[in-house]
Every structure is written in C-alpha cells, then in structure tokens.
Amino acid sequence: MSVSLVPAALALQLLWLLGARALQVGVGIADVTGPPAEIGFMGYAKLEQKGHGIHLRQFSRAFVIEDENRNRLVFVSVDAAMMGNGVRQEVLKRLRKRYGDSMYNDTNVIISGTHSHSTPGGFLMDFLFDLPILGFVRETYNAYIAGIYRSIVIAHYKLTPAKMMYGETELLEANINRSPTSYLRNPPEERARYKYDVDKTLAQIRFVNPTSNKIIGVINWFAVHPTSMNNTNKLISSDNVGYASVLMEKELNGKNTIPGTGNIVAAFASTNLGDVSPNIKGPRCSKSGKVCDQETLLCKLPGEECYASGPGKDMFESTKIIATRLFEAGMRVLKSPGEDLTGSVGVMHQYVNMPEESVFPYDPVAQSFNETEKVHGCLPAMGYSFAAGTTDGPGAFDFKQGETTSNPLWNAVRDFIAEPTKEDIKCQAPKPILLATGRAKFPYEWQPKVVSCSVAKIGGLFLAAVPGEFTTMSGRRLRDVVGKMSGAKKVVLAGLSNIYSDYIATPEEYQAQRYEAASTIYGPHTLDIYLNKYAEMTQALVQGKEMDPGPSPPDFKDDLITLVPPVLWDSAPWRKEFGDCVKQPETEHSYGDVVTATFVSGHPRNGNKRGKYYAVIEKQESDQDDSWVVHATDADWETKFTWRRENSVLGTSYVDIEWEIPAGTPKGVYRIHHYGNYKYILGGIYSYEGWSQGFTVS
Ligand code: ZN
C-alpha cells in the first residue's frame, strides 16, 4: 500500500502543478506620451490641431497570456490613434533581441490602438497618414516603440497563474451611429436581427488569481470613437476610453494611485467603432443649434457648420461623462460572477495583399458565402466624401486635387499623385476617386496594400484583430463568420491592430459613399475579402493547421521625409531663469478651486520625459524638514499642463500648470513642481526645475 501511495501523491502534486500552470497571465503598463508641443494630432487630419500640452497621458497596456503547452499570446492596447507596421516591427525587433526569435514574433503579438484623436502623429510611415502632421516625427515613433516594448517586458516578468472570466453588459447612452443612413442600406432581414444601429454591448475579460480570485488585469471592449475631445483640442488626451481606463485602475489599485503606476491594469480597447460616435447629442448646426440634415450635413445659415457634440456642456465634460459611463458599466461586469472561459491559447496570423485577392462574396441574409461568383480587391483609393470629414470633425481633410492648401507638404507632392486608370474607376465604383493613392509612388507608399490579419483563441473566446475601422455591421458579420467557424462561446473584434488601412464598410454601405465608405480603400468588396480570410484563418486555428505567412509589408525606414521643424533654441526672458515661477498661486484654496501657476519654460519637445512628468502636485509631509511627496501628476484628470510660445525669434516660452482640487483632497500645504529641459543657443540640452510657493487646501 505504502509503495503505491508515493506515486499517487506525486501524481496529485503533478496534477495540481499542471492545474496551477493551466493559464499564466502577466500585465504591464508604460507611458507612451509623445512630443506634447507643436506636433500635429493624428485623427482629424487638421493641420492647425497641434499639441500645446497635456491633459491625460498616453499609456500602453500589455497582457501576456500563456497556456499549459507554452502557447503564448500578447495583446496590447495603446492610447494612440492606431497602430502602424513600422512601430510594431521595431517593438518585435527589440523583443527578439531580448528573448530570442521564437518567444515573441509577427504572429503572436497583437497591438491595437484605442483610436484617440488627441495624440501626436507622424509615426505611421504610409505617406497619406503622416501628411497632415507634415511628415514623419521620430519623437512620436520612438515614444511609442519604447513604451509598448516596456509594457510587454513588464508583463513578461509578471506571469502568474490565472483564470479568465468573461462578462458583458448593455450600455446605452454612450454611443450613436454617425452614418445612420448608410446603416439603413444593409438588408432589412439582417438589420432585423439587431435592436440598435450600433453595438451597445460592453464585453469584458478579466484575469484573476485561480484561488483568491484577486484581479490581475481587465480588458474591456466597447464600440465608440474616442472623439469626445474635438478638433479644437490642443492638449494630449487619451479621450473617453483612456480616462475610463484611468478611472478603473484607480478603483482597483486604490484611489490615490498615480495613473500608470498600479499593479492591476485595465484597458478599454477599440473594436468595431467605424461608424460610431460618442457625441450623443447628434449633429447640430453650429450657429442655430438646430438638428442638421443627416444625409447632406448641411445647415441653413451662411458659414454654418454641422457637427456632433455632447452629452456635456463642453468637450472636457463630454469626455468625462462618456468615460464615467464606460467605467461604471465595466465595474458592473467586474462585480458580476462572470463565465469561466479559461482554456488553451492559440493564434493565427497572415499578411494579405488586398488588391490581389479574389473571393466569394458574402450573403448577409443567408449568412453564407455565395460560391457562384467571385469579387476582387482594388488598389487603394480615397473617395470625395473622405475630404468632407464626419460630424465628429467636419471638412477637415482639405486635400483636394489641383487646389493650393495651407499644407506645404501637400502642395509639394500634389502633382505626383497619379491619375486613376479606367480599371481603378471601374473597380472602385460607385466611389468617385479623389486620391488614387494605390498608384502614387512618390515619395513612397501612400496607403498600405499589404495588411495584417490575426485570429487569437484565449480559452472560449476568439479575438479577431483587424487592421482598420470596421463599421458596426461589418463587425457583426465578421463576428458571425468567426463564431460559426470556431464554435467559440464569444467572439470579440480588436480594432485598429498592427497596420492601419482606414475603414471597412459593408458592400451595401459602400454604395452610399459617405465618409466611412469613401475611406474603404480596397473597393466595395473589402469586407468580403476579410470575411473569407478570417474564416480561413479561424478554421486553420481550430484544426491546428499551418498557414502561409503571406507577403511581408514593405519597409520605408530609409525614405521617410519630414517638414516638421526641430526646436531651434530656448531662452529665458531678461532677468529670469528657466523654472522661475512668474505667476504664483493664491495662498489659500478649497475644493473645486482651480489653482494656477506659470513658469518660464523650455520647449517640451527638448526632453523626452517618458515615464517622468512635466508637472507634479506635491504635498508637504511635515513642515519640520521641508519634505514633499507626489500627490498628483500631469497624467491626472484634475491637472492641465499647457505650453505657450511667447517669441519664436527669442525662443521664450511659458507653461501654465492648473490643478482643479477634487473634493476629498486631504487638508494640508501643497505646491506645484515643474520639470523641463531647454535647448541652449550654442548647442546642448539642459534640464531645469521650478516650484511654486506653497498654498493651503482647507
Ligand atoms: Zn476613425
């Protein structure tokens, strides 16, 4: 008896060990805030929208997931407008250098942008996307690479046994369809399956300790554009979804946790948000305030613009309201029991040359592929409505052919844009072609032809990571196809992943040629190609088959051009030093007050302050030894860091740092601390710091 007991105990222990290893999860967060001054924001394509400071910092949130067979998957949600191939390849290169060739690779690392429109651009390399920013911006590019890499490394070292719970809830009052007339083009039989013209489900997975149920990390997906901050905003912001993440991380890590520093990471990642706006008051005329015509987006008064806003009185309040609704819905799911979907991990990835694809079209009524005909992809092209913009940002992209615009880079390259061929016109019909980007060769590729597609399996959940912005119905069709092919309990779509290729409207929506359809670059059957590809990849993943990796996207690292001027020099005004506080806060304050201090500053682009701060609110610990602790930073909602240039010849500038004192702030003495760097006229960059006088909060 005693002999057989030993192996039995061993087997039990082994089983327990295996069980404990069933799933391992690590989470990591790192700052990716790009250059915060005089660099154009990516999203609205508005030349004048350049950064002048920081409201909310940008973070990369990484989740490393490994099953018992050491199959590994990385999912990263980054507070950026989207992800680009150049940044991703550089992140992968650094991971390979650190961990060898097999651990992290082209297949198992998915990087999804949240799609905030208030973050610096110039990192995508494809020429059209960097054009509104005046070209490539190395500082943005480097900030994203370093921060994303760092977040994955942190997650790598934090792997710990976990189980995965799934939950969802319906969230009303946080999104509307911004092209409802296009949505109506989809077949009535198909629309009848859904209650709303946008998805109202917030889907969530949480990773918890298998024994204590303590939360390790959370990923939420809810379809909404992070465009609560509009195209007049000049402060870097992670917008509604970014602030929802900050709120949830504060709730889970402790209310006083500085954003980006807690152990538990909570992402609000992008999904099929293509036609979905957070501006739930809907499109209204800028002067009369009346509802404007949905189809034409026209207003009656001269010079009047039609744009959407709400639900707050201004964009800051709207961002806060939408973020709070997302956060509260996420917390509701987090507090519910959820469904245990723990299981094996797998991922399938393929690069697809879209213009060269020929596939069977999808019949959305029969929910199957029509194998009696073939449809084809087209060379990338943008339609006229693309230049008109959306109700989240009207008429922003003013790059019409033959017109001289305020964008010097466009004026320089305009004549190099090729004419569309007869073939292009036929292929893209009924899209009237504004820019035949697929034929443009100068200075390098304008829009990608090769895209990145991946399907991942995390236990009972399938994740379809897509290289663009799927509209509501496009996303539903994709989830249906992947669900059918996999038999998965849940399917989630991860938007704006790995490579950016604009929008994906359904073939029916394409006929209406509104903004999303005009920006569906591979023609009317773009979605059909994706549905075929994802069906094929899902099947291969389920059956454990290999797939051809596809053609590698081109690399234009050596061709990049930029018209973004560097910082020339900084100087402090006469008889002043960098860091001098030239406007002191009042000495006494209470809750709700906005405390402001102004400092002599250098250009914020001088110092790469990644992981550090430009502005910190400090609290005095004791008045005996003059020791101060960080109470809040420029990553907090309550602070605003604004840079303003005074004289570009002299190189003088100032920063205003604001702190709105939240209710519940402990009584005591506080001060504002500014960190910066200045560029000396004869060369060299030097750091400086400055403090305001202390003030009491009572
Ligand atoms: Zn978008």
Side-chain angles (χ1 to χ4, degrees), residues 9-29:
L10 255 176
L12 261 178
Q13 201 174 0
L14 249 173
L15 259 178
W16 179 85
L17 273 172
L18 275 176
R21 264 212 66 84
L23 197 69
Q24 300 256 317
V25 173
V27 300
I29 183 166

Side-chain angles (χ1 to χ4, degrees), residues 516-528:
E516 294 81 11
S519 308
T520 296
I521 64 177
Y522 308 112
H525 300 291
T526 304
L527 177 63
D528 289 320

Side-chain angles (χ1 to χ4, degrees), residues 678-696:
Y678 67 88
K679 190 167 190 177
Y680 185 48
I681 192 161
L682 299 176
I685 289 174
Y686 302 90
S687 65
Y688 67 85
E689 55 189 310
W691 296 266
S692 76
Q693 66 189 23
F695 53 89
T696 58

Side-chain angles (χ1 to χ4, degrees), residues 73-78 82-92 105-114 123-124 126 148 270 347-351 448 450-455 464-468 494-501 534 553:
L73 174 74
V74 183
F75 178 77
V76 181
S77 173
V78 51
M82 61 279 292
M83 195 23 58
N85 187 53
V87 170
R88 180 168 176 268
Q89 290 308 326
E90 225 23 69
V91 169
L92 288 173
N105 50 56
D106 237 344
T107 301
N108 70 357
V109 177
I110 295 170
I111 308 177
S112 165
T114 61
F123 63 99
L124 285 171
D126 277 300
I148 294 167
S270 68
V347 59
M348 194 58 72
H349 177 269
Q350 193 175 49
Y351 287 117
V450 175
V451 297
S452 158
C453 302
S454 40
V455 180
V466 297
L496 300 119
S497 297
N498 298 353
I499 286 181
Y500 183 62
S501 64
Y534 282 82

